[in-house]
Amino acid sequence: MSSMLARKVLGDLRRHALQLAVLALAVAIGSFGMVATLGARAVLDREIAASFEASLPPDIVVTLAAPDAQAEAVLRGIGGVAQVEPRRALQARAEVAPGDWQSVQLFGVRDFEHIAASAFSRLDGVWPPPTGAVLIERSSLPVAHGSGTLHLRLPGRGLTDVPVAGVALDSGQAPGWQDNVIYLYAGLDTLDALAPGIGTERLLVVLQPAERGAVTAKAAEISSALSASGIADARVTAPPRAHPHADQMRTILAMLSGLAFIAVLLASMLIAALLATLLARHVRQIGVMKALGASTGRVAGAYLAFAGIPVAIGTLAGGLAGVPAARAMVLFNTARLNIDPQDLSIPAGILAASIGISLGAALVALGIRVALAAGMSPRQAMAEAPPLVSARVARRGWGGGDRRVALAMRNLFRRPGRLAMTVTALALGGAILMTSMDVYDSLLGALDQITAGRQEDISVAVARPRPAAGLLDLAAVPGASRVEAWGGVGFGVPAPGTDIASGRFVLLAPPLDSAAARPRLATGRWPTAPGEVAVSGPLQAQEKRLALGAQVNLVSGGHHVPVTVTGQVEEIIPVAYTVPETVAALTGSADLAGGLRVSAMPGQAASVAAAIEERAQAAGLATTILTFAQLRQVMADHFTPMLLLLLVASGGAIAVGGLALGSGMALTVLERSREIAVIRAIGASPATIRAMLLLEAGAVGTVSAGLAGALSLLLAWILDRVIGAIGLHAEVPFTVSLPALALWLVFSVALAGSTALIAGRSATRPLVRAVLQRG
Amino acid sequence: MMRAETSSAAPVEAGRVPVHSAAEPLLVVENLTLCYPGGDGRPALDRIDLTIGAGEFSVLLGRSGSGKSSLLNIVAGLDRPSGGSVRVAGTELSRLSEPELARWRAVGIGIVFQFYQLLPSLTVAENIMLPMDFAGTIARRLRRPRALSLLDQVGIADQADKLPAMLSGGQQQRAAVARSVANDPPLVVADEPTGNLDSTSAEAVIGLLVGLAGAGRTILVATHDRDLASRARRVVQLADGRIERNVLSTVPA
């Protein structure tokens, strides 16, 4: 570049410092978005996996009726077994506020200093907890309304106040606040004192890494070894090596990837709009330079340097700012997932790729604009004026004969490409906002769909099937209008030729005369005969052998029952339904029930639930009692991380859309400054000019609102399918949020109005003479 | 020829006798000065005094930089003076706010620009009607008929529904003249109206302006075209921001 051209570039950088700063900001937004979202995705992906591995998830779980040292010794003697961790578990209830009872899972640990599986760590307080005290898991603190002393009702005992000695972190559990559970940890001596002889004994087995490729075979070997040792009542399962909320995490990661793409797209559109504004001021200069002998390449090089400097600065600044933003996103999401990330550094490759993509997109936008400007002939460039409207557009009689309206409307279409880009950029922002609200309504709609027609107000579940008559007595309380005892049993699907199941699921059987509405069927039919089951989507996702039409064996407590999957029900929890005879076959008795469904008199659900609670605890039964409202809230809480992510994204997109509109209006005023001066000269007041610009901006805002609505329908439909497929494994009904549409319409018009007013001020402030005299 | 007093102390040109105007003054400029910020310190207009009677066809004559366009811009309300006053038909322009000035420009003055400045998004007829929309003094149903009538008077009624880009320069300037009288203002100013036209078109436009003056409208033209100046009733010659000569001819233009 010649020294004079370099001086011109430096002078232009000074003269256009403000516009270049805005350009750098636009570039920074794209770079920021890319680094923040892709960086967060990479870190979350890594830390979720690392956290789960750090929790030492067991490969095999052996469930016993009582502590059995022999069983433990047998397991330790099997080749390929790296660790065996005994763990006792029992269910209790905690009164966190007067009349407010929440479920408790209390785990008994033998040796807090050497936890070999399902590990958890100290966050605060005393470690290990002294005898008689417990640790509370961090994510359960909101459920328990803080730490301190817990008012527990343990099976077989009355109310007991148990002090909380500290706070633990157990990242291998689903967050307590999401599932409405209080996780507690205590020494075995504490459990012996609080609930002697009660609880489930488990031996958690961690295999050598080399054995993990054949977990089912090793589980079968363990089962055989235990049987051979005379331990007949052991139940051996091989749980999937995945966090309980792995699906939710995958959904969030997928959304982050999508948002990264949108960030780049929006930023590129904004950059193109701003560059058009910037270069419009220089078109005549380009013509003059070329008339003086500058080649296209020389001119292009000068303007690449002119705009390339803020592009480079913006990319770097945005990328640097994106790093802490990525960290903040990671911390936000890990907090919701109850994970403590150990390493927040973004992988260098991801950082480089993010910055490279955003820089590349910006340079492409810059290159195209500069090429267009530099490629003009001298005459064309020096005579550059806003393009004329087509005759077809000119014949449109907007405004019913008012030339001011006709002028404003026709001016909109003088640059159809820019109009399309401005409308689209603004529409994308609104689309993401409306999509967020549509998706949230859709998710709540999924809940409504699932619970439609549900007449019962309270669900009571017991840990082990109990005689139905005894359970029905629990609900013989004032205010209960109808009670049904439902069959229910935990089951697994054993691998072929073995008794080893990968998980434990719930099989429910409503009584034949049940008044409760059946869950909706997504496909297939409701089971009507013994040996038929209908399963939910989430259950099918976890246990692929339960596909529609499959014939499999279910196993529970040593009982094997062949079943055929006849249908898929629309539920967002992993559950299966059948007829009472199938449950009876699995439990070995026709008189057992797994829980109750209770209908209460209007307004009495909470008091009926509390009364049942008292009776259950007095009877020494481990129960989970949830009102319908509580159950619905637990489900809705699972959607919160996704919704918050979408809302944050929509905020960024709206900012970009607003900048695009603002720059579009600024360019409009800039290009038509002489026309506007002439209009003022022939009698238009500043208010009239502002009104005309407001009309233009308002038209853009209104059209973009319509486009945003249409785009949001598409995006919401896609997200509903994605969340339904990955996250819920259930159909998510497509829902449109009318309040979201109204909100965006108002906002876009307000945004258009404010940008028009700013542009109008810019248009009417200079003296008419000064504008007309400009070259 | 009778000698006439003039409103300035400029010397009388031999052969042309300044004549005192008996008509009511439409335009009164007193002690007008204009300094551009960042200039070399010399005023663009230096204590200008000028009176133009109603119905006069007057020309501001001078080279580039003489101040004629600057004076015209202030009279047209397109610029604000640094000092002095300008009264048009009794209205003191310096006291008007920007909205009031815009309103005044809609009804009190018509402007013809050198480069026509027709709005490219409107048809020729719509360009004429646009000032009527701003002023609002002519009933809506009468605006198009009036626009067509004005275009007929300037000889381009058949171009009414075309876009300006389809017209020649001369036709566009005629349309601009028609636009300048859309709201029937008492004063029409024109800044180099023939500067961008060929001789035939220029002659036609001059004829239009002379015709407007003959119909009783006050016309003030800034030009360096002496041929145009010869058709004027009053010639005000400027140099370096000052009036050198101000001559009113007794011979009708």
Side-chain angles (χ1 to χ4, degrees):
Chain A
M1 196 184 302
S2 73
S3 62
M4 287 301 107
L5 211 48
R7 287 181 74 173
K8 175 188 164 13
V9 171
L10 287 173
D12 287 341
L13 285 170
R14 277 194 295 272
R15 270 197 323 142
H16 297 292
L18 182 60
Q19 292 99 315
L20 292 173
V22 175
L23 175 64
L25 177 63
V27 174
I29 288 173
S31 177
F32 172 88
M34 278 295 286
V35 169
T37 51
L38 286 187
R41 191 197 188 288
V43 175
L44 275 172
D45 206 9
R46 182 186 65 212
E47 292 303 306
I48 287 171
S51 168
F52 183 68
E53 289 302 319
S55 71
L56 303 177
D59 298 299
I60 295 168
V61 176
V62 178
T63 305
L64 303 164
D68 192 330
Q70 183 190 8
E72 188 175 335
V74 167
L75 291 180
R76 291 189 189 280
I78 294 177
V81 171
Q83 302 283 354
V84 178
E85 168 75 18
R87 187 72 56 90
R88 190 182 303 172
L90 64 87
Q91 290 183 332
R93 300 286 278 175
E95 189 178 31
V96 299
D100 184 4
W101 290 88
Q102 300 294 335
S103 295
V104 171
Q105 287 193 28
L106 178 55
F107 300 105
V109 179
R110 178 188 294 171
D111 184 356
F112 276 78
E113 299 302 334
H114 299 96
I115 298 175
S118 287
F120 54 95
S121 57
R122 173 183 177 275
L123 280 184
D124 188 28
V126 183
W127 180 280
T131 302
V134 296
L135 302 175
I136 185 169
E137 208 283 323
R138 178 177 68 181
S139 66
S140 297
L141 287 171
V143 184
H145 296 190
S147 58
T149 299
L150 285 172
H151 196 57
L152 295 183
R153 182 169 269 154
L154 292 153
R157 290 203 43 176
L159 292 172
T160 307
D161 284 339
V162 178
V164 176
V167 180
L169 171 65
D170 187 353
S171 297
Q173 298 283 356
W177 66 268
Q178 259 189 15
D179 287 7
N180 237 38
V181 172
I182 301 172
Y183 299 113
L184 301 175
Y185 307 84
L188 290 177
D189 52 351
T190 300
L191 259 68
D192 286 338
L194 291 175
I198 293 178
T200 305
E201 296 295 329
R202 291 187 189 139
L203 294 172
L204 309 177
V205 179
V206 177
L207 298 177
Q208 303 282 0
E211 300 289 335
R212 291 203 178 122
V215 174
T216 303
K218 184 59 68 176
E221 181 185 340
I222 288 174
S223 180
S224 299
L226 289 171
S227 294
S229 301
I231 302 165
D233 61 349
R235 186 178 74 239
V236 182
T237 56
R241 203 174 175 79
H243 189 278
H245 281 185
D247 289 343
Q248 188 182 121
M249 297 170 182
R250 271 198 293 274
T251 304
I252 289 173
L253 292 177
M255 285 168 62
L256 281 171
S257 299
L259 288 173
F261 168 74
I262 290 174
V264 166
L265 180 65
L266 277 176
S268 299
M269 294 172 79
L270 182 59
I271 290 164
L274 288 171
L275 281 170
T277 307
L278 203 52
L279 291 176
R281 291 176 185 267
H282 288 258
V283 165
R284 199 159 290 195
Q285 292 182 42
I286 290 172
V288 171
M289 283 192 288
K290 295 189 92 172
L292 294 175
S295 65
T296 299
R298 237 189 189 146
V299 170
Y303 282 96
L304 280 173
F306 168 62
I309 292 171
V311 162
I313 292 172
T315 302
L316 194 61
L320 287 175
V323 171
R327 287 191 182 138
M329 257 200 262
V330 168
L331 290 173
F332 174 79
N333 280 289
T334 52
R336 310 232 62 78
L337 297 170
N338 197 35
I339 291 170
D340 267 4
Q342 300 303 305
D343 179 6
L344 293 176
S345 62
I346 300 172
I350 296 292
L351 193 57
S354 305
I355 291 178
I357 292 170
S358 55
L359 180 63
L363 288 177
V364 166
L366 170 62
I368 292 171
R369 276 284 154 200
V370 168
L372 285 173
M376 287 176 155
S377 68
R379 190 188 69 80
Q380 190 183 5
M382 283 191 283
E384 176 72 354
L388 306 175
V389 294
S390 68
R392 184 171 59 86
V393 171
R395 277 196 290 274
R396 293 286 301 274
W398 275 297
D402 191 322
R403 261 63 50 188
R404 293 166 293 187
V405 175
L407 192 57
M409 290 297 99
R410 290 175 197 170
N411 280 329
L412 264 183
F413 290 93
R414 286 166 79 172
R415 287 212 187 267
R418 184 190 306 154
L419 174 64
M421 196 166 59
T422 305
V423 167
T424 304
L426 191 57
L428 271 177
I432 295 175
L433 173 67
M434 285 191 278
T435 299
S436 309
M437 298 172 76
D438 288 346
V439 167
Y440 187 69
D441 280 0
S442 294
L443 292 174
L444 292 182
L447 282 185
D448 291 338
Q449 205 165 265
I450 287 161
T451 57
R454 187 186 291 254
Q455 295 173 9
E456 65 276 16
D457 301 301
I458 301 160
S459 164
V460 180
V462 290
R464 295 180 188 282
R466 308 285 303 178
L471 277 185
L472 285 168
D473 279 344
L474 287 181
V477 298
S481 58
R482 182 182 170 87
V483 184
E484 294 180 4
W486 278 41
V489 64
F491 73 95
V493 181
T498 74
D499 273 354
I500 310 303
S502 63
R504 191 160 175 80
F505 312 106
V506 173
L507 180 65
L508 297 175
L512 294 175
D513 61 346
S514 173
R518 290 177 182 171
R520 277 163 49 125
L521 279 165
T523 184
R525 63 173 178 83
W526 188 257
T528 54
E532 294 183 345
V533 297
V535 301
S536 70
L539 176 48
Q540 284 180 328
Q542 291 188 38
E543 182 49 76
K544 304 258 187 294
R545 286 170 288 183
L546 290 173
L548 181 66
Q551 293 180 331
V552 296
N553 276 338
L554 304 186
V555 63
S556 179
H559 301 280
H560 288 253
V561 176
V563 298
T564 302
V565 180
T566 61
Q568 182 189 3
V569 294
E570 289 185 351
E571 290 262 20
I572 61 171
I573 55 174
V575 66
Y577 293 88
T578 187
V579 296
E581 290 87 341
T582 308
V583 170
L586 279 169
T587 59
S589 167
D591 296 325
L592 299 179
L596 301 172
R597 298 290 170 94
V598 181
S599 299
M601 306 291 277
Q604 296 189 38
S607 59
V608 169
I612 296 174
E613 177 85 51
E614 272 199 50
R615 285 186 162 222
Q617 293 298 334
L621 289 177
T623 56
T624 301
I625 301 174
L626 282 173
T627 64
F628 175 61
Q630 287 175 323
L631 181 64
R632 197 172 187 284
Q633 186 56 49
V634 166
M635 294 181 185
D637 284 344
H638 285 68
F639 307 147
T640 303
M642 287 182 268
L643 175 66
L644 289 175
L645 188 60
L646 280 174
L647 286 176
V648 167
S650 64
I654 289 168
V656 170
L659 274 175
L661 179 60
S663 67
M665 291 304 298
L667 186 57
T668 284
V669 168
L670 181 65
E671 282 184 336
R672 289 159 40 210
S673 55
R674 287 177 75 87
E675 271 183 45
I676 293 172
V678 169
I679 295 169
R680 291 171 65 195
I682 63 175
S685 65
T688 299
I689 301 294
R690 283 194 293 269
M692 289 168 66
L693 291 172
L694 188 60
L695 197 55
E696 287 186 45
V700 171
T702 305
V703 171
S704 78
L707 180 60
L711 273 176
S712 72
L713 295 180
L714 177 63
L715 284 175
W717 185 87
I718 292 172
L719 266 180
D720 287 346
R721 304 280 84 73
V722 167
I723 295 174
I726 299 176
L728 302 182
H729 303 288
E731 185 191 341
V732 176
F734 178 61
T735 307
V736 174
S737 170
L738 291 179
L741 183 61
L743 175 66
W744 179 247
L745 188 61
V746 169
F747 182 79
S748 64
V749 172
L751 182 64
S754 56
T755 55
L757 287 174
I758 294 171
R761 191 160 170 268
S762 164
T764 56
R765 194 170 36 193
L767 288 170
V768 173
R769 182 269 309 161
V771 177
L772 290 175
Q773 281 179 351
R774 274 188 214 145
Chain B
M1 286 183 229
M2 294 175 63
R3 292 185 67 83
E5 294 176 16
T6 65
S7 58
S8 85
V12 174
E13 184 183 47
R16 289 183 70 88
V17 178
V19 176
H20 172 68
S21 170
E24 184 68 28
L26 184 80
L27 172 65
V28 178
V29 177
E30 290 178 342
N31 201 31
L32 189 73
T33 57
L34 175 66
C35 295
Y36 289 122
D40 58 5
R42 283 185 295 175
L45 295 174
D46 189 3
R47 290 165 292 169
I48 299 288
D49 292 307
L50 178 64
T51 301
I52 292 177
E56 286 185 17
F57 180 17
S58 303
V59 159
L60 301 176
L61 191 64
R63 297 173 193 245
S64 291
S66 61
K68 60 184 187 300
S69 292
S70 298
L71 176 57
L72 202 73
N73 283 334
I74 291 176
V75 168
L78 303 181
D79 204 350
R80 299 272 193 183
S82 304
S85 78
V86 177
R87 283 196 306 279
V88 178
T91 301
E92 172 58 59
L93 299 190
S94 63
R95 292 206 187 110
L96 297 181
S97 65
E98 187 56 38
E100 288 169 338
L101 202 53
R103 172 76 189 162
W104 177 80
R105 285 197 295 263
V107 297
I109 195 165
I111 304 175
V112 180
F113 300 93
Q114 179 180 0
F115 292 101
Y116 336 130
Q117 304 291 14
L118 296 176
L119 300 178
S121 304
L122 299 178
T123 63
V124 173
E126 287 171 341
N127 266 278
I128 311 304
M129 288 189 278
L130 185 62
M132 299 183 210
D133 291 343
F134 292 147
T137 52
I138 296 170
R140 193 181 287 270
R141 61 183 164 78
L142 297 178
R143 291 175 193 173
R144 183 170 168 85
R146 178 172 170 77
L148 294 176
S149 169
L150 290 172
L151 288 172
D152 187 50
Q153 289 176 42
V154 299
I156 55 167
D158 55 339
Q159 310 294 321
D161 294 319
K162 292 185 182 173
L163 291 173
M166 296 177 180
L167 275 61
S168 68
Q171 288 174 322
Q172 289 190 53
Q173 195 64 302
R174 288 198 223 185
V177 171
R179 181 179 67 183
S180 72
V181 295
N183 288 319
D184 199 21
L187 174 63
V188 171
V189 300
D191 191 357
E192 303 280 6
T194 59
N196 220 35
L197 300 176
D198 58 82
S199 56
T200 304
S201 300
E203 184 58 36
V205 169
I206 293 170
L208 288 175
L209 293 173
V210 170
L212 287 175
R217 210 175 300 273
T218 308
I219 309 295
L220 180 62
V221 179
T223 185
H224 59 265
D225 184 347
R226 291 191 177 271
D227 183 45
L228 175 56
S230 69
R231 311 284 286 273
R233 184 151 170 77
R234 178 190 293 273
V235 176
V236 180
Q237 180 138 13
L238 291 102
D240 296 327
R242 293 195 180 115
I243 293 179
E244 284 194 331
R245 272 185 286 273
N246 181 357
V247 178
L248 182 68
S249 170
T250 58
V251 177

